Amino acid sequence: MESWPGLPWNAPMVLTMQKVAPALAAGNAIVIKPSPFAPMAVTTALMSVADLFPAGLLSVIHGEGDVGTALVKHPLVRKVSFTGGGRIAKSIMKDAAESLTGVHFELGGNDPAIVLNDAELDTVVPKIAAGVFRRSGQVCFAIKRIYVPDSLYEQFYDQFCSVVDQYQIGHQLDDRATFGPMNNANQYRFVKELAERVRQTNARLVELGQILQSENWNNGYYLRPMVVRDARPEHEVVTCEQFGPLIPIVRYHKEDEVIHWVNATEYGLGSSIWTSDEERATQLAGQIEAGMTFVNGAGQSILGHEMMPFGGIKQSGIGRENSPVGLAEYVEYYALNVHKSD
């Protein structure tokens, strides 16, 4: 089977290998199209990998959307695996429909973090902050909205802001930096404009973190981490995928209320529950509409990386990566039944 994996720019090496390894292991010839925003490392690494295989088994091609369209429509391509945004995925699906080419999509998320009233804030707040702001928020399954019970809201907000304010924002080659820039101008502009619209609401937006080398601030797509207090469930910053360093904190009173808000979205990638009672979390997780739920964490554990199928429902994707389930995405099953004479 010939497959075409399309890759995003936020974690190009990891996401490349999540597709290349199972596709090759399943016996496929593959063509990789890196993101134009992050092509160098992927191309250099795959050149070395390709030398280990027969010529033509692993190829890399560069270009914009027209190149991707040509690949999807090519009659030799039997499977398209794409990680990225929903708009492009819908275009791929339309093109793939012409030849009934199979598709696998790992798309965006609006992952909620639900803090329960028995959570130990000293323990969970730093973990939640890390789950929000890794790669400056440019992660598909990063926490995108936080729901906190009214009884803990003030304490949670104060502790969360205290942790976030310690981030050191600067160039990645500065050893002091713990927080980097946005990847590209379009995403930088989107998050800035979203923040401006938040300021037009009754919610309060605060910018935190310490700026390193302020004289170079305008030489990159730098943004300070932003926290939105008193966000409402219907606010745009809560319902969209920010994909940047901007996080709303929503107050709730009852668990059935927060479950309704959590599920009232077109996304369904990841989610997390933060509590001192794992059994309570397990029961609550069954009510969440998502492909994955993490308990007291914002990503897979060591065992989870190996065994947990990664992917979403609704507009967050089709199919799964990782685990034996992910390998099956690149397999065409064939059945042979030999009838023996009586």
Side-chain angles (χ1 to χ4, degrees):
M1 181 170 68
E2 185 93 12
S3 66
W4 171 62
L7 305 169
W9 44 258
N10 62 323
M13 288 302 297
V14 172
L15 296 173
T16 295
M17 296 310 169
Q18 282 188 174
K19 298 181 186 299
V20 168
L24 288 177
N28 299 283
I30 58 177
V31 180
I32 295 285
K33 180 186 175 299
S35 165
F37 294 114
M40 187 176 297
V42 169
T43 303
T44 302
L46 291 182
M47 285 174 63
S48 297
V49 174
D51 288 340
L52 303 174
F53 295 95
L57 192 66
L58 172 59
S59 303
V60 179
I61 188 168
H62 296 279
E64 301 292 338
D66 57 335
V67 174
T69 298
L71 282 170
V72 174
K73 291 184 174 182
H74 197 285
L76 290 180
V77 173
R78 302 310 310 152
K79 182 66 174 279
V80 176
S81 179
F82 171 76
T83 298
R87 179 180 59 83
I88 296 177
K90 291 175 183 178
S91 176
I92 290 173
M93 202 167 191
K94 290 178 182 178
D95 291 335
E98 295 183 10
S99 56
L100 294 180
T101 299
V103 295
H104 164 252
F105 295 143
E106 198 272 280
L107 307 177
N110 185 15
D111 293 22
I114 303 174
V115 180
L116 299 184
N117 57 11
D118 61 356
E120 294 289 343
L121 296 190
D122 290 343
T123 300
V124 307
V125 166
K127 294 180 180 180
I128 293 176
V132 171
F133 292 114
R134 66 165 64 96
R135 297 182 185 267
S136 303
Q138 300 168 104
V139 177
C140 59
F141 65 100
I143 294 170
K144 306 291 197 311
R145 44 190 172 134
I146 305 172
Y147 295 92
V148 181
D150 183 67
S151 60
L152 294 179
Y153 192 91
E154 299 298 333
Q155 182 184 356
F156 180 94
Y157 175 81
D158 289 343
Q159 290 186 224
F160 189 81
C161 288
S162 178
V163 170
V164 175
D165 201 36
Q166 297 175 35
Y167 293 150
Q168 304 286 307
I169 311 157
H171 195 282
Q172 298 94 313
L173 296 181
D174 187 329
D175 291 339
R176 300 170 296 168
T178 59
F179 199 96
M182 303 296 291
N183 173 275
N184 59 78
N186 288 339
Q187 195 62 28
Y188 170 79
R189 190 179 306 113
F190 171 79
V191 176
K192 282 197 70 172
E193 292 174 354
L194 178 60
E196 287 305 313
R197 292 194 292 273
V198 171
R199 291 187 174 97
Q200 306 305 313
T201 70
N202 293 329
R204 177 190 174 195
L205 184 148
V206 294
E207 298 186 37
L208 302 165
Q210 310 304 311
I211 297 174
L212 302 173
Q213 299 181 341
S214 58
E215 66 275 12
N216 289 325
W217 186 255
N218 293 323
N219 291 331
Y221 301 125
Y222 293 105
L223 289 172
R224 296 174 69 187
M226 294 170 279
V227 179
V228 181
R229 176 192 168 98
D230 295 327
R232 295 290 304 155
E234 67 274 10
H235 283 167
E236 179 189 14
V237 71
V238 178
T239 61
C240 77
E241 181 185 26
Q242 310 96 329
F243 218 75
L246 176 59
I247 185 69
I249 305 177
V250 181
R251 189 188 309 260
Y252 76 89
H253 297 86
K254 298 179 180 179
E255 285 184 12
D256 57 350
E257 174 185 53
V258 74
I259 290 296
H260 172 72
W261 291 341
V262 161
N263 291 337
T265 174
E266 62 183 9
Y267 296 104
L269 186 55
S271 56
S272 60
I273 299 173
W274 305 81
T275 176
S276 297
D277 187 341
E278 292 183 4
E279 183 177 350
R280 183 183 178 194
T282 301
Q283 293 175 349
L284 191 64
Q287 303 177 50
I288 297 175
E289 296 174 359
M292 306 171 288
T293 297
F294 310 107
V295 177
N296 294 328
Q300 303 104 312
S301 64
I302 295 175
L303 182 60
H305 272 287
E306 180 179 350
M307 300 303 298
M308 184 177 185
F310 186 98
I313 62 173
K314 301 184 187 178
Q315 303 266 329
S316 287
I318 298 173
R320 293 293 184 270
E321 290 187 311
N322 300 346
S323 80
V325 175
L327 179 63
E329 292 286 345
Y330 298 96
V331 174
E332 290 281 13
Y333 290 96
Y334 168 74
L336 176 63
N337 182 189
V338 178
H339 291 257
K340 298 292 187 180
S341 58
D342 294 335

